[in-house]
Amino acid sequence: MQSMVGSPENGAEYSTSVNFTAGLASGLTEAIVIVTPAEVCKIRMQSQYNSLMDPTQLARRKYTNVIQTAVTITREEGIGALYK
């Protein structure tokens, strides 16, 4: 019988500590790489509307979507600004 990549041999199960460590590592990676920069972009996009009291300024808004916001922040302030 062939085993799957990453699975324990002979049908055994991973220990609780291995499962915990893998879950912790994946959760931290997700939080650091995806969630924190996305939250910064979301907050920047939301806060620009509070400062745009005049509806004509909506046509000249600085941030339009999450990707464009991340690129603009990185270009203007550096990659560290995504983690403020």
Side-chain angles (χ1 to χ4, degrees):
M1 176 170 88
Q2 272 187 327
S3 64
M4 295 173 34
V5 175
S7 66
E9 297 296 322
N10 301 327
E13 294 185 14
Y14 287 116
S15 68
T16 303
S17 62
V18 170
N19 284 333
F20 175 78
T21 304
L24 180 66
S26 66
L28 285 172
T29 302
E30 175 195 17
I32 293 169
V33 174
I34 304 293
V35 175
T36 303
E39 287 291 319
V40 169
C41 292
K42 179 191 74 144
I43 291 167
R44 295 272 184 112
M45 290 176 68
Q46 288 175 336
S47 66
Q48 79 178 344
Y49 291 110
N50 291 335
S51 63
L52 297 175
M53 297 301 283
D54 184 10
T56 59
Q57 289 182 344
L58 285 176
R60 297 185 313 245
R61 64 184 188 252
K62 185 173 184 177
Y63 305 120
T64 56
N65 61 51
V66 176
I67 302 297
Q68 183 269 338
T69 301
V71 170
T72 302
I73 292 170
T74 303
R75 186 180 304 129
E76 292 178 355
E77 302 174 43
I79 192 80
L82 292 173
Y83 295 94
K84 287 184 179 178

